[in-house]
Amino acid sequence: MGDFGESLRLAIAIGMTVFMVVVRFDQERIMRSDYFQSRSRWMGPLSYYGLVLLFTAGIILILPRGRASLFLVGGDVGDIFPAMVLFAVVGILNGAALALLRFRALLPLPLEMLPSRSLAAGLNAVAEELQFRSVILGLMLVGGLDPGVAVALQAVLFGLAHRRVWRERDWYFVAVAFLLGYACGMVTINTGTVIPAMVGHFAVTMGIFAFAGGRLRMQRI
């Protein structure tokens, strides 16, 4: 009976995760639906973020040692801080490289757009790290998948999910998304917490805004 209960809880958690992935891959079409188009522009993103938080909380309750299994715990400052600093440096270098190599100039995001885009970047970083590095990666490891394989698979899913959102762009953003997903996955496993990945995700996005946001401000990031 114990084994059946464990299997049932894992199956429910996997089902909830698959639903979250499907919603993420179809996010663009959902946001364009009549329901969201007739409402505030924040209604769609906030609904998505709320859904991620709700399902993550449900999976925590379902799984034994839910928070630890999903890396939703604190970690050692000596491990976390260097990882966050490294992510910040990479974010700056990536943003500068994108601006100089692709657009031939530094084109920062206009100051009047900074507060709203910063808030959106923070919320998005938390939601996507919960979904990919916490839930998806955590469940792969709970299911017994090799950590290296699990990190690679969730990074591929992360990159593909962003290809759907950035369909009108080129493969640069897909490559960055894959590399970011892989780096965040490795850091999450090595530190035992998703916190550095959230900070790193936010740093990379803000690096793009800081150096190339003026070129991309009319497009969704």
Side-chain angles (χ1 to χ4, degrees):
M1 184 65 181
D3 291 341
F4 175 77
E6 294 289 333
S7 300
L8 180 61
R9 283 196 291 268
L10 182 59
I12 294 173
I14 291 174
M16 295 172 69
T17 303
V18 170
F19 179 79
M20 290 171 64
V21 171
V22 171
V23 170
R24 178 64 181 84
F25 269 75
D26 212 23
Q27 182 185 16
E28 185 181 11
R29 185 182 64 84
I30 294 172
M31 297 307 175
R32 291 202 310 265
S33 66
D34 292 339
Y35 179 83
F36 287 113
Q37 289 296 315
S38 62
R39 287 163 172 78
S40 165
R41 65 188 183 92
W42 284 97
M43 181 68 177
L46 289 177
S47 299
Y48 166 69
Y49 301 145
L51 182 68
V52 171
L53 290 174
L54 181 64
F55 272 56
T56 301
I59 293 172
I60 289 173
L61 294 175
I62 291 170
L63 290 178
R65 300 182 64 251
R67 289 180 58 227
S69 298
L70 301 187
F71 304 105
L72 295 175
V73 293
D76 185 85
V77 177
D79 294 331
I80 295 176
F81 185 72
M84 293 191 294
V85 171
L86 180 59
F87 267 125
V89 172
V90 170
I92 292 172
L93 294 176
N94 175 67
L98 172 64
L100 294 175
L101 297 178
R102 302 295 302 279
F103 307 133
R104 306 301 180 187
L106 298 178
L107 301 165
L109 188 73
L111 287 178
E112 64 270 17
M113 300 182 69
L114 188 59
S116 63
R117 287 302 177 95
S118 297
L119 177 60
L123 292 173
N124 190 64
V126 171
E128 291 199 333
E129 292 310 313
L130 284 176
Q131 188 170 6
F132 287 92
R133 257 62 69 183
S134 179
V135 173
I136 294 177
L137 178 59
L139 280 177
M140 286 181 180
L141 297 177
V142 169
L145 204 61
D146 177 77
V149 175
V151 170
L153 284 178
Q154 61 82 30
V156 169
L157 283 175
F158 187 65
L160 291 177
H162 284 76
R163 181 56 181 170
R164 292 289 296 250
V165 175
W166 295 333
R167 188 167 46 240
E168 72 278 9
R169 302 185 188 174
D170 56 44
W171 287 95
Y172 172 84
F173 294 98
V174 182
V176 170
F178 172 78
L179 293 174
L180 175 63
Y182 189 86
C184 286
M186 291 300 295
V187 167
T188 298
I189 287 181
N190 289 329
T191 62
T193 175
V194 76
I195 293 174
M198 290 179 176
V199 173
H201 192 143
F202 177 74
V204 170
T205 303
M206 292 306 297
I208 293 175
F209 286 163
F211 294 101
R215 175 66 175 81
L216 303 171
R217 67 180 183 274
M218 300 305 296
Q219 303 178 29
R220 295 170 62 180
I221 300 298

